[in-house]
């Protein structure tokens, strides 16, 4: 089995990436905590490629990275690529977003989408696979559910009548931005493994 470094410092993302890639022909391994990459790109895709490439080169290993975030229609797509930098903790990020949307009580005014870009880099840093997934939903007026991470307690998916934080990992995977992006990338990873790396 060839090693695939998972380049994230976010435990919630890591849990999902491990679960979604667990049946792959790759041996997943977490990047060292001290290896951090500056997210200087101006799109999710650019930042995912940057994280995957830099970690791949530093460790001379195949690497997968995810850059993701929440785009709120009424805020012109904010916080977007700045979703992690919106405040200092998950609770503060949620509080800030609920505050920003306090003048928009109607669910129709609280439309939003999660976006996830995933990239896989070869040990030399070149990109071998990339994909993006989007999940539309609404921002709730108060948190619901105890599962998941990040903004999950305030992201409601009408088709499931559940917030992300109320869903099992399998249900979230079936509709989420990350589930969609990883479904595409894992096919490519299977192909790379079967071609002989
Ligand atoms: P790494 O860069 O180390 O992977 P990060 O948390 O800094 O971790 P991002 O820069 O991609 O990752 O920021 C993503 C932000 O969006 C962060 O605040 C997440 O909590 C949030 N987010 C992404 N996907 C999410 C999901 O499925 N559910 C809830 N919040 C999510």
């Amino acid at each position: 089995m060839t090693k695939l470094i998972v380049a994230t410092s976010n435990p919630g993302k890591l849990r999902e990436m491990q679960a979604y890639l667990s049946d792959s022909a790759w041996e997943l391994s977490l990047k060292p905590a001290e290896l951090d990459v500056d997210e200087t790109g101006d799109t999710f895709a650019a930042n995912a490629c940057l994280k995957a490439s830099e970690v791949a080169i530093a460790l001379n290993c195949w690497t997968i990275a995810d850059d993701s975030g929440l785009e709120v229609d009424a805020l012109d797509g904010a916080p977007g690529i700045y979703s992690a930098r919106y405040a200092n903790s998950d609770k503060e990020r949620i509080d800030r977003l609920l505050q920003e949307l306090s003048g928009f009580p109607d669910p129709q005014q609280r439309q939003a989408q999660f976006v996830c870009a995933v990239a896989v880099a070869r040990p030399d840093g070149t990109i071998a696979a990339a994909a993006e997934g989007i999940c539309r939903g609404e921002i709730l007026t108060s948190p619901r559910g105890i599962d998941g991470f990040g903004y999950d307690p305030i992201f409601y998916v009408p088709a499931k009548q559940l917030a992300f934080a109320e869903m099992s990992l399998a249900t979230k995977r079936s509709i989420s931005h990350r589930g969609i992006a990883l479904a595409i990338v894992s096919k490519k990873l299977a192909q790379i493994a079967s071609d002989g790396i």
Side-chain angles (χ1 to χ4, degrees), residues 8-10 13 39 51 66-69 83-84 93 114 149-152 172 177-178:
T8 183
S9 305
N10 181 319
K13 265 191 199 179
E39 297 179 18
K51 288 190 249 189
D66 156 322
D67 198 64
S68 44
S83 294
R93 285 185 272 272
F114 263 119
F149 67 97
Y151 297 90
D152 280 350
K172 184 178 174 189
H177 50 311
R178 184 164 298 102

Side-chain angles (χ1 to χ4, degrees), residues 6-192:
V6 182
T8 183
S9 305
N10 181 319
K13 265 191 199 179
L14 175 66
R15 208 167 36 244
E16 291 188 2
M17 291 171 84
Q18 281 175 322
Y20 300 176
L21 295 166
S22 61
D23 52 358
S24 81
W26 296 75
E27 182 196 338
L28 302 183
S29 172
L30 183 57
K31 83 164 171 71
E34 64 275 11
L35 184 55
D36 221 6
V37 177
D38 278 343
E39 297 179 18
T40 54
D42 54 12
T43 61
F44 293 109
N47 282 329
C49 291
L50 202 65
K51 288 190 249 189
S53 284
E54 290 201 14
V55 172
I57 292 167
L59 300 177
N60 193 32
C61 273
W62 285 81
T63 300
I64 186 166
D66 156 322
D67 198 64
S68 44
L70 189 54
E71 296 181 332
V72 180
D73 297 1
L75 303 178
D76 295 325
I81 59 166
Y82 303 105
S83 294
R85 293 165 263 181
Y86 204 45
N88 290 325
S89 67
D90 282 346
K91 184 186 178 310
E92 285 171 11
R93 285 185 272 272
I94 285 176
D95 288 348
R96 176 169 175 198
L97 189 53
L98 293 181
Q99 178 60 37
E100 303 267 1
L101 287 177
S102 58
F104 302 92
D106 180 347
Q108 280 316 310
Q109 301 172 303
R110 301 172 73 93
Q111 303 291 307
Q113 62 187 21
F114 263 119
V115 183
C116 174
V118 173
V120 175
R122 302 181 186 90
D124 67 0
T126 56
I127 299 299
E132 198 161 285
I134 291 178
C135 180
R136 297 279 309 166
E138 294 164 11
I139 305 302
L140 292 165
T141 51
S142 57
R144 277 173 49 172
I146 53 164
D147 289 325
F149 67 97
Y151 297 90
D152 280 350
I154 54 167
F155 188 78
Y156 178 78
V157 182
K160 296 284 176 196
Q161 298 197 350
L162 291 171
F164 265 176
E166 296 174 309
M167 292 180 195
S168 67
L169 203 54
T171 303
K172 184 178 174 189
R173 171 184 184 169
S174 70
I175 52 156
S176 79
H177 50 311
R178 184 164 298 102
I180 294 165
L182 283 175
I184 299 166
V185 162
S186 56
K187 278 199 191 118
K188 180 75 181 168
L189 279 170
Q191 194 187 320
I192 294 167

